[in-house]
Amino acid sequence: MILFKILFLFFVLIILIRLGKRFKKKQIILTNFLIWFFFWLIAGTIVIYPESTNYLARLLGVGRGVDVIVYFSLAAIFYFIFYFTVRLHIMDNRIAKIVRTISLKEEKDEN
Amino acid sequence: MNIIVVIPAYNEEKVIGDVVRAAVKESSLVIVVDDGSTDRTGQIAAEAGAKIYRHTINLGLGATLATGLMVARKYHPKIVVTMDADGQHRAQDIPLLIKPLEDSGADFVVGSRFLGKSFKQRDESVPAIRWFYNSFANLLIYVLFGIKTTDSQSGLRALNAKALEKINIQSREMEVSSEFFKEVKNNHLRLEEVSIEGIYTKYSLSKSDPSKTQNLSTGIRTFFNLFLHKFIK
């Protein structure tokens, strides 16, 4: 269990460093930086103090603290899949619009 | 301009010349939208008498048809006909499609390969799998958009000026055929179907591009995209 904690915290540390670098290079905005920073900070805290989730489990009426995390993680993953599907769809439409504009412009230029 | 034929094309250099030449005889203008072909599709279509618009990258059937309709609107035609570039449709059927627009007040006419034909009565050239795929798609159109059709996947359609103005295509890929029905429903257009003969040649059935053939994976993707279009605008 100790080994798992060390490996996970190492993983969180790498992610936080990468997150910091991306923010420094202005590849992500402050809001996104803060959301992900606190998300991984909380994930790290839960790994160090897993019993901290028991309070939340009791509050929500779920058996164990770990179960609460699994439920929330699954909900978050499915939400992100939906979110990215929609984003991809929007980007697809934007690309189509650009390509269409170019094709109309090229035809106009030829005449 | 009275009649404009819009042909979306992607890597069809072997047949596009004949398709365009036949369409030219039945229309005032043929517009070929070359969807980023890597062969000589655009050049051959232009030599055959079509006006060419070219996508710099391959976008898919839906986006290509949307470009074609957008271009057609600039000419203010009375009628626009869409047809496939692979020789699956006969240009001689175009007058059949136009008749209901002129005579019986239809706004949108579909050339159906299955109208009044059961599975056993279908044309010999229609593969069984395509018949089942189409039947399933028809059912889906009815469930999603409440429109009854016998050939929801037909690429041969005719639109009058009202339909051309109202129909707004958002699809990128194969689901465009079904999206036309959604637009017909949403814009309260009058739909009619006429019986046509589908021509399935070895060429049209053996395309290497999976996005252009109606196989199972394309069907599933189309199904998914249709649901996406139902809920996302």
Side-chain angles (χ1 to χ4, degrees), chain B residues 21-53:
Chain B
R21 271 186 289 275
V24 163
K25 289 178 192 161
E26 304 290 344
S27 62
S28 331
L29 174 70
V30 175
I31 294 169
V32 169
V33 184
D34 179 0
D35 192 21
S37 297
T38 50
D39 63 7
R40 294 172 63 243
T41 297
Q43 194 186 331
I44 293 171
E47 284 164 10
K51 203 168 179 65
I52 310 299
Y53 288 82

Side-chain angles (χ1 to χ4, degrees), chain B residues 125-141:
Chain B
S125 63
V126 178
I129 187 73
R130 210 163 267 213
W131 191 91
F132 283 112
Y133 175 81
N134 189 65
S135 301
F136 179 71
N138 295 347
L139 182 69
L140 192 66
I141 296 301

Side-chain angles (χ1 to χ4, degrees), chain A residues 82 85-86 89-93 95-97 99-100 102-104 106-108 110-111, chain B residues 51-57 59 63-64 66-67 70-71 74 170 172 224 228-229 232:
Chain A
F82 170 75
T85 305
V86 173
H89 181 74
I90 293 168
M91 274 173 66
D92 254 7
N93 284 343
I95 291 168
K97 205 172 170 181
V99 172
R100 193 167 289 135
I102 293 169
S103 86
L104 294 177
E106 276 179 356
E107 205 280 333
K108 206 175 167 185
E110 277 172 26
N111 292 332
Chain B
K51 203 168 179 65
I52 310 299
Y53 288 82
R54 186 177 151 75
H55 287 169
T56 44
I57 55 170
L59 290 180
T64 312
T67 302
M70 186 185 276
V71 171
K74 293 199 302 183
Q170 300 285 323
R172 278 274 314 263
F224 175 74
L228 211 61
H229 281 289
I232 305 165

Side-chain angles (χ1 to χ4, degrees), chain B residues 96-215:
Chain B
L96 288 177
L97 265 86
I98 291 172
K99 205 167 183 302
L101 297 177
E102 290 178 333
D103 296 350
S104 54
D107 298 310
F108 185 85
V109 181
V110 175
S112 171
R113 296 157 291 179
F114 308 103
L115 185 65
K117 293 171 189 166
S118 66
F119 177 67
K120 281 186 179 172
Q121 289 169 321
R122 74 188 197 281
D123 295 334
E124 281 177 13
S125 63
V126 178
I129 187 73
R130 210 163 267 213
W131 191 91
F132 283 112
Y133 175 81
N134 189 65
S135 301
F136 179 71
N138 295 347
L139 182 69
L140 192 66
I141 296 301
Y142 182 66
V143 171
L144 287 178
F145 310 126
I147 284 197
K148 282 183 182 172
T149 170
T150 58
D151 195 354
S152 59
Q153 303 308 299
S154 173
L156 190 60
R157 320 169 183 91
L159 297 75
N160 66 9
K162 182 183 168 190
L164 179 65
E165 188 200 322
K166 300 256 182 191
I167 287 176
N168 179 21
I169 295 299
Q170 300 285 323
S171 313
R172 278 274 314 263
E173 296 179 39
M174 293 295 283
E175 72 275 14
V176 65
S177 307
S178 309
E179 198 194 359
F180 271 106
F181 291 95
K182 176 187 154 192
E183 290 293 302
V184 164
K185 173 81 175 178
N186 290 352
N187 293 298
H188 312 290
L189 300 171
R190 238 194 93 204
L191 169 75
E192 268 197 43
E193 291 187 337
V194 293
S195 182
I196 59 152
E197 197 182 314
I199 305 162
Y200 290 99
T201 56
K202 272 186 184 171
Y203 172 76
S204 70
L205 291 171
S206 66
K207 295 238 187 85
S208 56
D209 175 15
S211 71
K212 297 202 80 188
T213 51
Q214 293 180 341
N215 54 29

Side-chain angles (χ1 to χ4, degrees), chain A residues 40-67:
Chain A
W40 287 109
L41 214 60
I42 291 167
T45 311
I46 289 171
V47 168
I48 300 169
Y49 306 107
E51 60 280 2
S52 62
T53 55
N54 289 343
Y55 169 74
L56 197 62
R58 273 199 302 277
L59 196 74
L60 296 171
V62 181
R64 294 179 306 166
V66 175
D67 293 343

Side-chain angles (χ1 to χ4, degrees), chain A residues 13-107:
Chain A
L13 192 69
I14 290 171
I15 288 176
L16 288 177
I17 291 169
R18 287 179 69 97
L19 199 64
K21 276 183 182 173
R22 283 185 186 276
F23 180 62
K24 210 174 167 187
K25 285 181 184 171
K26 293 184 178 172
Q27 288 172 339
I28 51 170
I29 58 169
L30 180 65
T31 321
N32 281 350
F33 170 75
L34 289 175
I35 289 170
W36 288 111
F37 180 78
F38 283 111
F39 173 85
W40 287 109
L41 214 60
I42 291 167
T45 311
I46 289 171
V47 168
I48 300 169
Y49 306 107
E51 60 280 2
S52 62
T53 55
N54 289 343
Y55 169 74
L56 197 62
R58 273 199 302 277
L59 196 74
L60 296 171
V62 181
R64 294 179 306 166
V66 175
D67 293 343
V68 177
I69 302 302
V70 171
Y71 295 152
F72 274 109
S73 303
L74 275 176
I77 288 167
F78 280 113
Y79 170 73
F80 280 119
I81 289 173
F82 170 75
Y83 175 78
F84 287 122
T85 305
V86 173
R87 287 296 304 171
L88 211 61
H89 181 74
I90 293 168
M91 274 173 66
D92 254 7
N93 284 343
R94 285 180 180 167
I95 291 168
K97 205 172 170 181
I98 293 169
V99 172
R100 193 167 289 135
T101 309
I102 293 169
S103 86
L104 294 177
K105 195 179 174 304
E106 276 179 356
E107 205 280 333

